[in-house]
């Protein structure tokens, strides 16, 4: 934020932006810059910076138009590296080029960011400064070179070569020639790779469009830069080595587990980023819901940016019309309106799917799923969303089109719902725990369902035992087809493998040759098993309790667990981030049942539209609060 700086206003009529000129100087000189106003219609030449703001409490002053202006440490380090010793450099940098204290200007400029990054000559993706250089007590007169950055980018180039793993110079084979080990010379290179893999830049939602939209991009870490093609080749070859040509060699790296993890993690981080860049370059029409599903694991300081950070990449708004950023609105209003537009654009209720672990912290209505990651690491979170998305597409709890959905008072979602059953009893929650504890939870669920042991043969499909074993794997199993792992619905023939897996857990094992391990862990984390009043077996969020109801929304792929809200609970008890977001009971709503959403779930016997087939007239209007 500026200390004494006064911005010249931008015209609201045109597409005006400010561009920053970084004046040349020596490494130890104070950073001096100037701003000038230009119009995007004039096609100005400039580069754009992608970076993480960093700690807002740690600021360093620079000179901006001969006035004092404070920037965060990370931006200061970037400016110091970007500055030339001999010529000026023109860039667009949001923290300086946008008056961050003016919400009206910020809203207009954020709405233009997609165009700003699309039109730049090049985007510099600043991963950060070398921590060793930051900690250095000496003050060099010239830009210090980072050996960490050099080794990390050199290794990315090597791992991106079109050669088998055992042919790369960074690996050696053991004496018997059956295993790979890290070549001693490259041990430090793999350690350096961690320095660029686990930096905050990869986690921020704004970097998505900043990497996807520019025609040319380059990564920068400390003193070194790395072309986009290097990272593309790194990802492409790594996936091929692990899954196709060198899978056995890769498996032998278990002895170097920490090293293989960092390579895998960087690949997992790069994959969705490079995918969306490819999609947009091919003019694939991405919706806001498409982007939310892909990038659920990314973070933002301002909750509104979970939505605004994606708008520049949306190419399909359908009949809903584009969402215009407005930083004068409270976060809850922005997020509710965005998800409602997702429903209108997609014609389905998929935007309601997701965890609801963070509602108390986010101040959102219960029908809004979490906007960010909770309780699990980002790589696992990305797998979790992929897993849940695949599962969703296997089900069709409602075959009817989504209709009669409305957003009331900016926070209440009104839709058509069919009551299926009421929860009678709930089991213990399944957490991220060891195998023995996991099995004890499964045993408790079996006892709750009246099951003493696993039958020797597949139980009849209508039995409680059949409902049980299908429920704990969401009635789906992995299915590999044309080198892509999908999931198919279970058959009676799958019972023996499922039984073998669960019994292996009992003995403290998780056999890698059985297909249920990851699915079982991811599918059940944070979940409980429950029995309904009619004796049906289901899986739902850990917050489920006796008396909650199982509903099927018109147009939803899966059932939802809802908790009835009484007028006493609703009246004045749910205050959001702004006074206009208060939910109150009015005469017009008195006849409409209100519910809190506990989460989506699985209920045996209703996942393929059976509930609505038998009761098409049973849908009623409900309010989700």
């Amino acid at each position: 934020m500026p200390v004494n700086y006064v911005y010249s206003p931008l015209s609201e009529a045109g597409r005006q932006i400010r561009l920053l000129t970084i004046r040349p100087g020596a490494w130890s000189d104070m950073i001096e810059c100037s701003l000038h106003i230009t119009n995007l219609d004039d096609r100005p030449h400039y580069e754009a910076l992608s970076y993480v703001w960093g700690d807002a409490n740690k600021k360093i002053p620079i000179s901006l138009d001969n006035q004092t202006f404070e920037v965060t440490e990370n931006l200061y380090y970037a400016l110091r590296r970007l500055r030339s010793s001999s010529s000026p450099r023109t860039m667009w940098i949001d923290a300086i080029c946008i008056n961050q204290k003016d919400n009206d200007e910020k809203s207009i400029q954020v709405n233009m960011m997609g165009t700003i990054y699309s039109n730049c000559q090049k985007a510099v993706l600043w991963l950060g400064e070398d921590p060793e250089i930051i900690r250095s007590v000496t003050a060099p007169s010239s830009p210090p070179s980072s050996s960490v950055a050099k080794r990390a980018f050199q290794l990315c180039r090597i791992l991106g070569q079109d050669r088998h793993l055992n042919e790369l110079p960074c690996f050696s084979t053991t004496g018997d020639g059956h295993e790979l080990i890290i070549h001693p010379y490259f041990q430090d290179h793999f350690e350096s790779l961690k320095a660029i893999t686990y930096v905050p830049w990869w986690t921020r939602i704004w970097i998505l469009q900043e990497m996807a939209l520019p025609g040319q991009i380059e990564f920068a870490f400390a003193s070194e830069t790395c072309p986009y093609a290097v990272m593309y080749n790194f990802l492409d070859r790594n996936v091929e080595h692990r899954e196709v040509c060198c899978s056995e060699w890769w498996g032998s790296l278990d002895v170097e587990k920490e090293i293989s993890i960092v390579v895998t993690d960087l690949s997992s981080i790069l994959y969705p980023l490079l995918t969306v860049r490819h999609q947009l370059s091919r003019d694939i029409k991405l919706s806001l819901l498409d982007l939310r599903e892909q990038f659920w694991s990314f973070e933002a300081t301002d909750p509104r940016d979970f939505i605004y950070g994606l708008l520049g990449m949306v190419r399909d708004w359908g009949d809903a019309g584009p969402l215009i950023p407005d930083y004068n609105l409270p976060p809850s209003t922005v997020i509710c309106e965005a998800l409602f537009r997702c429903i209108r654009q997609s014609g389905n209720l998929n935007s309601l799917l997701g965890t609801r672990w963070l509602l108390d912290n986010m101040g959102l209505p219960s029908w809004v799923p979490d906007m960010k990651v909770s309780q699990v690491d980002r790589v696992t979170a990305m797998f979790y969303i992929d897993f849940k998305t695949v599962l969703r597409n296997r089900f069709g709890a409602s075959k009817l089109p989504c209709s009669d959905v409305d957003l009331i008072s900016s926070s209440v979602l009104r839709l058509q719902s069919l009551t299926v059953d009421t929860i009678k009893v709930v089991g213990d929650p399944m957490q991220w725990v060891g195998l023995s504890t996991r099995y004890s939870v499964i045993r408790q669920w079996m006892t709750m369902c009246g099951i003493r042991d696993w039958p020797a043969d597949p139980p009849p499909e209508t039995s409680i035992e059949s409902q049980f074993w299908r429920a704990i794997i969401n009635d789906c199993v992995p299915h590999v087809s044309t080198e892509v792992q999908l999931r198919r619905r279970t058959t009676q023939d799958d019972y023996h493998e499922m039984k073998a897996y669960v019994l292996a857990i009992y003995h403290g094992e998780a056999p890698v040759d059985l297909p249920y391990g990851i699915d079982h862990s991811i599918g059940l984390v944070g979940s409980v098993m429950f029995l309904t009043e009619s004796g049906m077996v289901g899986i739902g969020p850990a917050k489920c309790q006796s008396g909650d109801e199982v509903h099927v929304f018109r147009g939803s792929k899966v059932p939802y667990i809802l908790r009835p809200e009484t007028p006493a609970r609703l009246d004045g008890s749910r205050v959001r981030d702004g006074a206009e977001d208060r939910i109150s009971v009015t005469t017009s709503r008195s006849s409409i049942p209100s519910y809190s959403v506990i989460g989506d779930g699985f209920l045996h016997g209703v996942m393929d539209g059976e509930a609505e087939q038998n009761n098409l007239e049973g849908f009623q209007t409900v309010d989700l609060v």
Side-chain angles (χ1 to χ4, degrees), residues 184 197 334 337 592 600:
T197 300
V334 172
E337 174 63 25
I592 299 177
D600 53 87

Side-chain angles (χ1 to χ4, degrees), residues 554-624:
R554 182 184 173 104
S556 64
K557 295 276 191 179
V558 296
Y560 284 80
I561 317 302
L562 305 184
R563 184 165 299 160
E565 292 283 359
T566 64
R569 281 170 55 86
L570 281 172
D571 191 13
S573 66
R574 291 179 175 270
V575 181
R576 306 308 174 191
D577 289 354
E580 62 270 42
D581 286 329
R582 185 185 301 273
I583 296 176
S584 61
V585 179
T586 63
T587 303
S588 63
R589 287 188 55 206
S590 60
S591 61
I592 299 177
S594 296
Y595 293 90
S596 288
V597 177
I598 306 304
D600 53 87
F602 173 92
L603 185 64
H604 186 82
V606 304
M607 303 304 292
D608 297 303
E610 297 92 336
E612 67 182 16
Q613 284 178 359
N614 301 324
N615 192 13
L616 281 175
E617 304 301 320
F619 282 96
Q620 64 174 336
T621 300
V622 302
D623 284 345
L624 306 181

Side-chain angles (χ1 to χ4, degrees), residues 71-369:
V71 297
T72 58
E73 281 186 340
N74 190 48
L75 178 52
Y76 175 82
Y77 298 142
L79 290 170
R80 190 168 57 173
R81 289 291 188 183
L82 291 167
R83 177 174 58 181
S84 167
S85 61
S86 57
S87 59
R89 190 168 186 176
T90 301
M91 303 199 73
W92 188 86
I93 302 174
D94 60 353
I96 303 177
C97 295
I98 299 175
N99 182 357
Q100 298 294 329
K101 287 187 174 181
D102 185 339
N103 279 340
D104 291 331
E105 178 184 304
K106 185 163 66 170
S107 300
I108 294 171
Q109 292 289 294
V110 165
N111 196 41
M112 296 168 58
M113 280 180 65
T115 304
I116 291 171
Y117 277 92
S118 295
N119 289 3
C120 71
Q121 272 59 57
K122 179 175 69 175
V124 179
L125 313 182
W126 172 252
L127 303 182
E129 181 59 89
D130 184 342
E132 292 298 324
I133 291 175
I134 295 175
R135 289 192 292 264
S136 176
V137 295
T138 60
S141 57
S142 59
S145 177
S146 168
S147 58
V148 171
K150 288 183 177 180
R151 289 192 296 260
F153 288 143
Q154 181 187 11
L155 183 60
C156 289
R157 289 182 173 87
I158 291 173
L159 292 173
Q161 293 177 8
D162 190 14
R163 301 163 67 183
H164 293 300
L165 287 178
N166 61 314
E167 299 171 347
L168 296 176
C170 56
F171 296 117
S172 300
T173 57
T174 57
D176 58 10
H178 293 124
E179 292 184 355
L180 278 186
I181 59 173
I182 307 301
H183 190 287
Y185 176 78
F186 286 94
Q187 287 286 347
D188 288 341
H189 288 68
F190 281 94
E191 287 298 318
S192 296
L193 190 63
K194 296 178 185 178
I196 68 169
T197 300
Y198 303 116
V199 293
W201 185 85
W202 301 106
T203 70
R204 310 305 292 176
I205 200 159
W206 283 109
I207 66 102
L208 299 170
Q209 66 174 358
E210 295 163 2
M211 178 175 174
L213 297 176
Q216 181 182 353
I217 60 176
E218 70 176 9
F219 296 88
F221 181 71
S223 60
E224 306 304 309
T225 60
C226 178
Y228 166 73
V230 171
M231 289 301 191
Y232 180 90
N233 291 336
F234 166 86
L235 175 64
D236 185 53
R237 301 295 181 266
N238 186 255
V239 172
E240 185 176 7
H241 290 326
R242 280 188 299 161
E243 299 181 4
V244 186
C245 61
C246 298
S247 57
E248 291 187 8
W249 287 117
W250 184 260
S252 72
L253 279 171
D254 279 348
V255 295
E256 309 276 0
K257 188 174 182 180
E258 187 177 351
I259 298 302
S260 62
I261 286 176
V262 67
V263 175
T264 301
D265 283 355
L266 182 55
S267 298
S268 299
I269 291 167
L270 282 170
Y271 180 78
L273 302 178
L274 271 58
T275 297
V276 74
R277 180 175 171 85
H278 174 80
Q279 290 171 328
L280 292 174
S281 70
R282 298 298 186 272
D283 200 29
I284 295 175
K285 304 299 183 183
L286 296 174
S287 68
L288 181 58
L289 179 58
D290 293 331
L291 293 165
R292 277 297 306 162
E293 288 180 345
Q294 287 188 63
F295 302 116
W296 177 84
S297 65
F298 285 74
E299 301 172 4
T301 302
D302 187 330
R304 291 168 291 201
D305 292 339
F306 288 118
I307 303 300
Y308 293 163
L310 301 175
L311 297 185
M313 298 179 288
V314 177
R315 299 292 183 267
D316 181 9
W317 285 105
D319 296 332
L323 182 68
I324 306 301
D326 186 350
Y327 281 94
N328 293 304
L329 295 175
S332 58
T333 299
V334 172
I335 293 171
C336 289
E337 174 63 25
L339 294 191
F340 180 61
R341 285 172 185 260
C342 287
I343 294 172
R344 290 181 57 193
Q345 181 276 328
S346 65
N348 60 53
L349 297 175
N350 291 349
S351 55
L352 304 187
L353 287 158
T355 64
R356 286 168 173 80
W357 293 326
L358 297 175
L359 288 175
D360 294 339
N361 297 330
M362 295 287 289
L364 292 166
S366 65
W367 58 269
V368 176

